[in-house]
Amino acid sequence: VGGCRKHGKQWYQRRVRGTIVGGGGSAVQYGTSHSQLMNAASHASHPHSAKCLNINYSDSGLFGLSVSGHAEEIGGLLKSSVGVIAGLLNGISDEELQRAKNKFKLELILERDSVGGMLRHAGIESLGAGSPSTASQLCAVVDTLTSEDVVSMAKYVSKTSPILVSHGNGEHMPHPSDLQ
């Protein structure tokens, strides 16, 4: 799905939506506290991975899923991952939204936790938005997001045709029309 410019309202919506289903930097890799994407892919018997991909630039970006798995299981992994995104059309609980917003705010704060991080983000934001923002300003924008914002973003994504890219044996890859 085409992306949006960094630090626009859609950027915040997509980052929170991605955090809800399985994006972000502070994911649990082992144990029982996996993301919705990893829980949906739990039927796989081989090692696998599923996460949201959200890459943004000053004026555009890319949103999608990154799914890795055994060739024979990739069709089921893709279908269950797309199902998680489609499940957002039904809405999310206030608790899920708050958890995602808190996780996203933590990422924003930790990105700026060092002098190098502050300088990097000040430069990126100055070039993209005209001036840098403080972590408090960014967190305040995140706090304004609602579950309706997440659902509207999910509706936007569900209307687009998926593009599949395969590295390796693509024999068991479903056709894009089978994922809608």
Side-chain angles (χ1 to χ4, degrees):
V1 175
C4 53
R5 73 175 189 86
K6 194 165 186 172
H7 295 293
K9 182 165 182 172
Q10 285 186 339
W11 180 76
Y12 290 98
Q13 292 171 336
R14 289 179 186 204
R15 288 284 303 262
V16 168
R17 182 201 53 224
T19 302
I20 290 168
V21 298
S26 55
V28 175
Q29 294 181 357
Y30 305 101
T32 59
S33 184
H34 292 296
S35 68
Q36 288 183 21
L37 286 171
M38 288 299 288
N39 288 338
S42 64
H43 58 81
S45 58
H46 293 88
H48 60 280
S49 171
K51 62 182 180 179
C52 272
L53 177 68
N54 200 6
I55 301 171
N56 300 93
Y57 302 99
S58 61
D59 61 348
S60 67
L62 173 71
F63 172 81
L65 297 172
S66 175
V67 180
S68 303
H70 191 273
E72 293 177 6
E73 296 176 334
I74 198 67
L77 291 170
L78 285 169
K79 289 177 183 178
S80 63
S81 296
V82 169
V84 169
I85 300 295
L88 294 177
L89 293 170
N90 300 326
I92 59 168
S93 70
D94 291 338
E95 181 180 307
E96 286 177 303
L97 178 63
Q98 192 59 50
R99 187 177 327 123
K101 287 169 38 172
N102 289 342
K103 185 176 177 182
F104 180 33
K105 289 189 293 186
L106 176 63
E107 288 178 45
L108 291 171
I109 292 167
L110 290 177
E111 289 173 350
R112 291 154 179 80
D113 195 34
S114 67
V115 172
M118 287 189 326
L119 291 173
R120 183 167 53 90
H121 285 285
I124 290 169
E125 292 165 10
S126 293
L127 291 172
S131 66
S133 301
T134 66
S136 297
Q137 291 170 318
L138 298 174
C139 289
V141 175
V142 173
D143 283 331
T144 67
L145 297 177
T146 65
S147 58
E148 290 79 22
D149 292 328
V150 174
V151 171
S152 72
M153 224 3 88
K155 286 180 183 176
Y156 172 76
V157 169
S158 70
K159 292 178 185 175
T160 61
S161 297
I163 297 171
L164 298 176
V165 178
S166 174
H167 179 73
N169 182 354
E171 181 180 340
H172 299 282
M173 280 278 272
H175 190 272
S177 63
D178 295 336
L179 296 174
Q180 291 180 312

